[in-house]
Amino acid sequence: MTFIESLTLMLALMYLASLSYWSGKKWGAVVTLLLSVGAVAISLYWPLALGLIIALPLALLAHRFAPDEFKGEIKINTLREGTQHVLALSLLLVAVQYTINTVLLKQGITPWLMRPDVVDAFLPIAGGIELKAIISLNLWDQTHPAAAVMLAAVLITGLLCKRAFCGWACPLGLAGEYLYAFRKRFIKAELTPPAWLDWPLRMLKYLLLLALCYIVIGMPAQSIPNYLDGNYHKIADLKMALFFLTPSLITLLVFSLILALAAWRRQGFCRYLCPYGAMLGILSFASPLKIRRDTKHCLIETKGMKCDKCTRACPANIIVHTKTTVRTDECQACMRCVAACPKSAALGFGLKSGHRLGHKGLLALVLITLFILPLGAYLSGFWHSQTPDSIRMELIQVIDRVGH
């Protein structure tokens, strides 16, 4: 792992420890801290050790100078937005590190800055093919192993806690919120499409997901080893990077359409075009955790009031106040509806049995899923790419001639 990856991982673990400690679950804090120290001790790798050395004082400083914010009850929206911004900042630093590494390779200079393997998370097709290789051939790819790890982690979040990855971690969702807010400064009106148009538009992301699945599923199992050993797979990340850094006219038009869509409608990209959102939306139906309304406490049933604050707070325009359980694939478990509810006992995110998971617990579950799996993969030697810089340097010089 590079330093940025290690620091992000250790900050997540330190935050999980603080959540457990300040919630009275000291055993959880001890287990998390032991896991952090154990990871450094087992790996004996300086970026991971340095990440722990820096993350621990940062956690202590946060406790010292902002005790009310960290010890007290952090509001749902504050916690979610803070998490999104921290993760987005981490990805930005990773992007800078990866760009420097790529530029040095292109110039024929041996990189003095390591390639961050977490960028493989942006190779969903490669990750899907690798998972297929693991399941069907018991073949573990050593070129972009982090792609399979991160894809598996995101899929698990969908099974456990609906589309909480979209609502709490995805940087594209955060960027969409900023674009939408910027548009609202100049055009106040909501530009929500009518229902007859909204549903077909929502199906677009499922068509994109179907196309991606066709590529993965349609590849014969016997062809996978040759693909994984091929030059194209070795520089798939560089192909992806150049796609964004040197876009064609068609690419720029597509990007413009996506930006316009995100500004036009809140969560427009997530709702209409994101294949990850489609995949998590399908998996979310199997999640035991859902937004649930308790009619014994809701003002509608108990007081006869016409309250719809939860519905008005939902960015996906889900009708919450008339449902006892929200089952739609568009729910991102952002808990804005829960934050808006005037009766804390009336609305929550939890199991059918009535047990609820608070916003801190939800965040802890998301972070555990997203960070523990990569940590385990790293410790077992299934994280870092085994492709030497010399080969990447050689292939990037002829990247335009490298095909499938």
Side-chain angles (χ1 to χ4, degrees):
M1 285 188 176
T2 64
F3 171 68
I4 297 299
E5 293 173 291
S6 302
L7 179 59
T8 305
L9 171 62
M10 288 304 166
L11 283 173
L13 291 173
M14 291 301 102
Y15 186 72
L16 288 173
S18 67
L19 284 179
S20 301
Y21 182 81
W22 292 323
S23 298
K25 300 175 181 177
K26 294 182 174 57
W27 61 268
V30 172
V31 169
T32 307
L33 288 173
L34 288 177
L35 181 61
S36 306
V37 175
V40 173
I42 294 173
S43 64
L44 297 177
Y45 195 48
W46 72 265
L48 206 56
L50 189 58
L52 178 61
I53 292 172
I54 294 178
L56 187 56
L58 286 177
L60 294 174
L61 285 173
H63 174 67
R64 171 65 180 84
F65 292 105
D68 294 335
E69 184 71 11
F70 281 82
K71 286 184 178 180
E73 182 58 31
I74 306 176
K75 293 182 179 180
I76 295 175
N77 293 336
T78 301
L79 183 62
R80 185 191 62 256
E81 292 170 4
T83 302
Q84 288 177 302
H85 282 86
V86 169
L87 292 178
L89 176 60
S90 175
L91 281 179
L92 177 62
L93 295 176
V94 165
V96 172
Q97 180 177 345
Y98 179 77
T99 300
I100 294 174
N101 178 274
T102 302
V103 169
L104 292 175
L105 286 175
K106 184 66 176 176
Q107 294 177 349
I109 302 172
T110 301
W112 49 266
L113 198 58
M114 286 181 62
R115 171 187 176 273
D117 292 286
V118 74
V119 299
D120 290 345
F122 294 92
L123 301 174
I125 296 178
I129 293 174
E130 290 168 20
L131 289 179
K132 182 177 179 179
I134 294 171
I135 296 171
S136 62
L137 303 173
N138 194 28
L139 175 63
W140 297 71
D141 176 55
Q142 294 299 316
T143 301
H144 297 294
V149 174
M150 292 308 301
L151 179 59
V154 173
L155 291 176
I156 293 172
T157 64
L159 288 171
L160 293 179
C161 46
K162 290 187 73 67
R163 289 178 60 183
F165 173 82
C166 303
W168 290 78
C170 181
L172 296 179
L174 178 63
E177 289 288 334
Y178 273 108
L179 285 172
Y180 174 77
F182 180 76
R183 193 271 294 173
K184 289 280 287 185
R185 292 181 60 182
F186 302 96
I187 305 175
K188 302 293 184 182
E190 292 290 344
L191 303 177
T192 306
W196 62 266
L197 179 59
D198 181 68
W199 189 87
L201 289 176
R202 283 173 54 191
M203 294 303 104
L204 290 176
K205 65 177 181 287
Y206 290 102
L207 291 176
L208 291 174
L209 175 63
L210 184 62
L212 296 179
C213 290
Y214 176 77
I215 296 174
V216 175
I217 298 173
M219 176 176 285
Q222 60 271 23
S223 301
I224 293 179
N226 289 333
Y227 171 78
L228 296 181
D229 289 335
N231 288 335
Y232 182 87
H233 182 63
K234 290 177 182 177
I235 56 170
D237 59 308
L238 295 174
K239 286 275 191 179
M240 176 267 298
L242 290 178
F243 175 79
F244 288 102
L245 294 176
T246 58
S248 64
L249 178 59
I250 295 177
T251 302
L252 289 174
L253 291 176
V254 172
F255 286 165
S256 300
L257 175 62
I258 292 174
L259 293 175
L261 186 62
W264 167 52
R265 190 202 192 283
R266 192 174 188 182
Q267 296 186 350
F269 173 74
C270 310
R271 188 177 182 88
Y272 300 132
L273 290 180
C274 181
Y276 259 120
M279 176 176 58
L280 294 177
I282 293 173
L283 292 174
S284 71
F285 287 111
S287 172
L289 295 168
K290 291 178 173 62
I291 295 291
R292 303 182 190 275
R293 186 173 66 92
D294 190 342
T295 56
K296 296 179 181 178
H297 298 282
C298 183
L299 294 176
I300 297 175
E301 283 81 9
T302 59
K303 301 293 185 180
M305 297 176 63
K306 295 182 179 180
C307 180
D308 64 346
K309 288 186 176 181
C310 53
T311 295
R312 285 186 280 120
C314 179
N317 294 123
I318 300 170
I319 307 300
V320 181
H321 69 284
T322 61
K323 295 179 172 62
T324 54
T325 302
V326 176
R327 304 183 186 278
T328 175
D329 57 330
E330 295 299 334
C331 177
Q332 297 186 3
C334 65
M335 298 182 74
R336 287 183 175 90
C337 57
V338 177
C341 182
K343 295 285 288 186
S344 59
L347 200 63
F349 187 67
L351 301 170
K352 188 176 181 180
S353 62
H355 181 75
R356 291 186 175 182
L357 186 68
H359 54 292
K360 290 182 180 180
L362 174 59
L363 176 59
L365 184 59
V366 173
L367 292 180
I368 287 173
T369 307
L370 290 179
F371 288 94
I372 294 300
L373 193 60
L375 177 59
Y378 171 73
L379 295 179
S380 61
F382 190 69
W383 177 262
H384 182 60
S385 174
Q386 300 303 311
T387 303
D389 284 339
S390 58
I391 293 180
R392 291 172 58 82
M393 187 186 303
E394 178 183 341
L395 290 176
I396 198 174
Q397 307 305 326
V398 293
I399 193 169
D400 292 335
R401 299 197 296 272
V402 177
H404 292 81

